[in-house]
Amino acid sequence: MRLLHILADSVVDGPGLRTVIFFAGCPHHCAGCHNPDSWAVEGGEDYSLQHVVEQIRQIGSHRVTISGGEPFLQQEALYELINALTGYDIYLFTGYRLEQLLDDALARRILSRVDGLIDGRYIKTLHDYSLSIRGSTNQRILNKKQLQSFFG
């Protein structure tokens, strides 16, 4: 998988102290994005699944946030990573709306395994400094129970 980096001990990318995995590549190119270095699909470095899992285990937190870039650009690698992290509390950021992903079988399997989803593009004109985790008011934070309600 192509990643920008793995960050230990974040307190702003989900509840609690978290390890954050930043996927490379993003098609959304949101104006005002806090991480435009993540847009290039050839950015970052190739990581093996084993290396990523080992690094997460060495960090020691069982809370993981997957961000980017757009993680769904590397959907198969994302699925393998989430499967390898069974038992971890996983939050996932995506610029897509949940409804855009529901028709894709692999995306549904990914979404069924996460504990929290922050969806929607960042919209600069809707930025609100009082928000936690998300950047703009159009983005949603959906917990596992809320996600399950979309699967019917």
Side-chain angles (χ1 to χ4, degrees), residues 3 15 40 58 66-67 77 82 100 115 121 125 128-129 151:
L3 303 179
Q58 286 176 352
I66 301 171
S67 186
I82 286 177
Q100 293 176 282
D115 299 286
R121 295 176 55 140
T125 56
D128 183 340
Y129 286 103
F151 297 134

Side-chain angles (χ1 to χ4, degrees), residues 41-75:
V41 292
E42 69 278 0
E45 300 176 32
D46 286 322
Y47 287 71
S48 71
L49 176 62
Q50 180 181 0
H51 178 85
V52 174
V53 171
E54 183 176 312
Q55 192 166 347
I56 290 168
R57 288 187 179 141
Q58 286 176 352
I59 291 169
S61 173
H62 277 73
R63 295 178 179 134
V64 173
T65 296
I66 301 171
S67 186
E70 172 53 62
F72 280 97
L73 273 184
Q74 301 179 62
Q75 199 164 255

Side-chain angles (χ1 to χ4, degrees), residues 6 46 49 53 57 87-88 93 119 123 138 144:
I6 299 171
D46 286 322
L49 176 62
V53 171
R57 288 187 179 141
Y88 282 73
F93 281 79
D119 78 341
I123 298 177
N138 64 300
K144 191 167 194 72

Side-chain angles (χ1 to χ4, degrees), residues 49 92 101 112:
L49 176 62
L92 175 62
L101 298 168
S112 72

Side-chain angles (χ1 to χ4, degrees), residues 64 66 72 78 82 88-93 98 107-118 142-145 147-148 151:
V64 173
I66 301 171
F72 280 97
L78 175 60
I82 286 177
Y88 282 73
D89 178 74
I90 300 173
Y91 267 55
L92 175 62
F93 281 79
L98 174 61
R108 288 177 66 95
R109 288 197 298 267
I110 291 167
L111 293 166
S112 72
R113 307 287 303 255
V114 301
D115 299 286
L117 178 75
I118 297 86
L142 302 167
N143 64 32
K144 191 167 194 72
K145 184 176 179 181
L147 284 170
Q148 295 302 324
F151 297 134

